[in-house]
Amino acid sequence: EAGVVQSPRYKIIEKKQPVAFWCNPISGHNTLYWYLQNLGQGPELLIRYENEEAVDDSQLPKDRFSAERLKGVDSTLKIQPAELGDSAVYLCASSRFGQGGYEQYFGPGTRLTVT
Amino acid sequence: AQSVSQHNHHVILSEAASLELGCNYSYGGTVNLFWYVQYPGQHLQLLLKYFSGDPLVKGIKGFEAEFIKSKFSFNLRKPSVQWSDTAEYFCAGTTDSWGKLQFGAGTQVVVTP
């Protein structure tokens, strides 16, 4: 079974530029999560999707961050414009429907550096 | 607020030494607890999990964790570490089946030959 796929693995941009991250979850996993991991900290949930619906986006800074999962499979997380403080690792995870509290599978993450 | 905290940020030990990493949670009621591991250059992987039942949970690679409800703790242990156990270890918890996981800050473990 293929794991969660994320791209790009690394991204370096200048502040005020836009950036997008892509995630392909494990086949059959209806639930998709985006996490933010700052250096020296554990991941923090940004948004959770059930199929194409964002059911928990309370931690997503909506002034500059947006996400979509149009067909209930792949997802894209966007930042526009990026700020220096957005430098972090962005993780995607997936789980079977209603099973996220029991096991989530994580992708390798995208390491973003904003200069 | 609900949270998960890890006691140590960095641990250095020699091969064959015993390892114990502390984790405390502040949830009330039913809680699901996890230990994840991130080896250098790799993604987060589930090491073990606790939902209910036997409070002593065994995971992969010889790791185990003990859920002590009275102490709100879920400490990770391994009796004899190997160099390949060098990694970052994260404790996490949630109170719902939908998986709003809260992670501790992580503990970087370095095992020297």
Side-chain angles (χ1 to χ4, degrees):
Chain A
E1 171 178 83
V4 176
V5 179
Q6 290 188 248
S7 70
R9 292 293 308 275
Y10 304 91
K11 188 75 176 179
I12 301 174
I13 61 171
E14 294 182 346
K15 62 181 180 182
K16 301 185 181 180
Q17 295 300 306
V19 64
F21 315 123
W22 176 81
C23 173
N24 179 247
I26 292 173
S27 177
H29 281 193
N30 302 86
T31 307
L32 184 145
Y33 311 79
W34 282 103
Y35 287 87
L36 165 68
Q37 185 175 15
N38 286 305
L39 186 65
Q41 298 181 25
E44 300 172 33
L45 182 68
L46 287 173
I47 187 168
R48 170 169 65 91
Y49 279 93
E50 298 295 341
N51 297 308
E52 65 275 7
E53 182 180 359
V55 295
D56 184 356
D57 62 356
S58 57
Q59 302 302 312
L60 190 72
K62 299 181 184 62
D63 57 335
R64 299 184 298 108
F65 286 66
S66 64
E68 59 183 17
R69 194 185 184 199
L70 295 176
K71 296 184 179 180
V73 180
D74 296 0
S75 177
T76 302
L77 178 69
K78 298 178 182 178
I79 308 175
Q80 182 170 10
E83 298 179 351
L84 294 176
D86 296 329
S87 295
V89 176
Y90 292 83
L91 296 170
C92 180
S94 70
S95 71
R96 293 183 178 85
F97 183 75
Q99 297 297 307
Y102 303 104
E103 188 154 7
Q104 296 181 23
Y105 296 82
F106 284 82
T110 296
R111 182 176 297 277
L112 173 68
T113 301
V114 182
T115 62
Chain B
Q2 297 175 339
S3 69
V4 173
S5 60
Q6 293 181 238
H7 307 157
N8 311 95
H9 294 295
H10 293 92
V11 172
I12 301 174
L13 61 167
S14 302
E15 277 191 311
S18 63
L19 172 70
E20 181 163 2
L21 302 181
C23 173
N24 285 95
Y25 64 93
S26 64
Y27 306 101
T30 302
V31 59
N32 296 346
L33 295 165
F34 309 82
W35 277 97
Y36 281 86
V37 61
Q38 188 166 25
Y39 298 103
Q42 297 188 27
H43 60 277
L44 276 167
Q45 301 172 44
L46 185 64
L47 205 51
L48 49 78
K49 54 191 175 184
Y50 171 80
F51 303 144
S52 62
D54 189 344
L56 186 60
V57 180
K58 295 190 182 299
I60 60 173
K61 305 187 179 184
F63 285 90
E64 65 178 30
E66 185 174 12
F67 172 65
I68 303 179
K69 189 173 183 179
S70 61
K71 295 185 178 180
F72 294 88
S73 69
F74 189 57
N75 292 355
L76 180 71
R77 299 193 294 252
K78 185 171 184 177
S80 177
V81 296
Q82 301 173 325
W83 176 79
S84 59
D85 292 322
T86 293
E88 190 157 19
Y89 294 81
F90 293 92
C91 183
T94 184
T95 57
D96 67 82
S97 64
W98 300 100
K100 186 166 185 174
L101 285 178
Q102 290 182 306
F103 284 83
T107 299
Q108 182 67 51
V109 174
V110 175
V111 180
T112 59

